[in-house]
Amino acid sequence: MRGLLACLFAALSLGAQPISVALDKPVMSLNPLLLSREVEVQVVDLVFDRLVALDERGEFVPQLLEGWEISKDGRNVLLKLRPGLTWQDGSPIEAEDLVATWRMLSLPQVRKVNDLVGVRTLDSLVAEGPHRVRIRLKAARASLLSDLYNFQPVPRRRYAQGSEELKHPLNYAPIGSGPYRVLPGAHATEIQLQLWSGYHGSHPGRWDAFRFRVQPQDKAEYGRQLRAREYHFGELDWFRHYLLRRGAFGDGSLIAQSTPLSSFNTFWFNCNPERSLLGDVRLRRALAEALPWEFLKAQRRLRAERLASSLWPPQSWAFDQAVAPLPRAERAAAMLEAAGWRLGPDGVRRDAKGRLLHLVMFSAWGYSGRDHADAFCDALRKVGVEIDLRRTPVDEPYTMSTKGEGDIWDYAWNTGLDPDNESPLFSSDGIASGSNVTGYRNPEVDRLFERGRHELDPVRRRSLYLKINELIQNDQPLLQLTYGVAYLVLDRRLRGVGFNPLGQTYGYVPGRRGWWLDG
């Protein structure tokens, strides 16, 4: 019946133009094992089914699975695959595919790109026939359903991982399990999807086709393309979003929309003492006191953003509502003095060894005018820090952080449904995989993440993540600025746009699978 509905939707929209989505950066891979950034997930969510999905209420619902059974002690889990499902090459989706995907997630070359800690640390997965998988756990796991949500299996016979996984042809020609297939010719800056008539899963697509294209760097050209209806959905900088809401941008064919995201804007600090002076926690704490919160507060009058005070954003059950004290520049200067960095006659600090307090910061080019990176660098110079602000393409700060080059990196981070998802960012385990880009270490944080993963009592579990937040905020491997807000532009004809509990337009059903163009 569902397959018939998918064919009916395809017939109704046959010949219609694709829904065109603007991406803010190139796509590195469409392999679910290698998704390191949000931009890839936006596409892959249409091409691959998850084991479980989210509905519009934020509840977990079966997708590839028909159902699951969990023993009373929580240590024995039986997953039941829907029978009759196939991969897009026609081969059946089997229990052994889940087991093989789970094993591949522990490979070093995979963990370096995308460390799905919750899935790879499941203790044992065994196939019991073609449609049943048994998970055995040493201890019950509170994050189990969230982990299954992040689990997007791949066909075991086609996805063997080599040493140069990001160069594999399947990165742009995936063999999926979802309602859309990738058309030939896909590449980093343009990907087209077509409704797949062989889909027999639980959540079909409504529209015939999608096109994902990277928006031009030139903002004037991007604006021209939006007005020409070359895109039906995309992101805007906050200023152009404001102009659109005021009627000073667009010709009436576009709609401005915004939504809080489960993410935060941040400065990441290089905590590796062999690569950066910021390996000294005293320096990191001093820099945090120099944060120009007055500038961020002034920006909030124009943007609907909230100053960040917790690693887990307001949408999370682990959000810490305690209000942090405001930074004080005079305290930053005093802390630098106490750490042995004396102010020289040239206005720059040096330590007892004569080393200059010189730092390098990577930040993407701004849209216009002075931004938070400029303001932060100005504040640091006032307290005697010599800082070299290097402007780069949008994805370069993250790339530099993975290489450990520089001292401060400026980029946003999207969080998951469960705070345990972020453990690779802050744990010693994440250093081994390359996910912990700052090189931050704290054995107590490692221990609490492990406890939190298995604590079933919601109250006690929340207290563990509140303690993790307190420890990390004190050690300052990062300096949070504001919680994220998505500033979006929509074609007036686009229908079905909604948001999951994290503020995203994907990762739930119907999500983008339910989009269509009216008229």
Side-chain angles (χ1 to χ4, degrees), residues 51 64-66 79-83 93-95 98 130-131:
L51 290 186
L64 278 177
L65 296 183
E66 186 177 58
L79 307 181
K80 301 176 183 178
L81 275 170
R82 296 181 188 273
I93 298 177
E94 297 176 324
L98 275 63
H131 299 124

Side-chain angles (χ1 to χ4, degrees), residues 322-362:
V323 178
L326 291 172
R328 302 202 325 257
E330 63 274 13
R331 181 161 171 77
M335 292 170 72
L336 290 170
E337 287 284 337
W341 293 91
R342 309 299 182 193
L343 198 62
D346 58 355
V348 181
R349 294 183 182 273
R350 290 171 174 79
D351 67 1
K353 299 178 182 179
R355 292 181 300 176
L356 197 70
L357 185 46
H358 175 87
L359 304 174
V360 175
M361 177 178 181
F362 291 97

Side-chain angles (χ1 to χ4, degrees), residues 32-99:
L33 302 174
L34 304 174
L35 304 181
S36 60
R37 304 172 307 167
E38 180 188 19
V39 66
E40 284 99 12
V41 185
Q42 296 182 47
V43 183
V44 168
D45 202 60
L46 294 169
V47 180
F48 284 84
D49 275 0
R50 303 169 184 265
L51 290 186
V52 302
L54 283 177
D55 63 16
E56 290 182 301
R57 298 181 300 277
E59 301 292 331
F60 291 107
V61 294
Q63 195 164 65
L64 278 177
L65 296 183
E66 186 177 58
W68 58 86
E69 296 175 1
I70 303 175
S71 63
K72 288 184 179 180
D73 64 4
R75 296 169 57 191
N76 197 307
V77 183
L78 179 63
L79 307 181
K80 301 176 183 178
L81 275 170
R82 296 181 188 273
L85 301 182
T86 65
W87 300 106
Q88 291 173 358
D89 64 358
S91 61
I93 298 177
E94 297 176 324
E96 288 290 357
D97 293 312
L98 275 63
V99 176

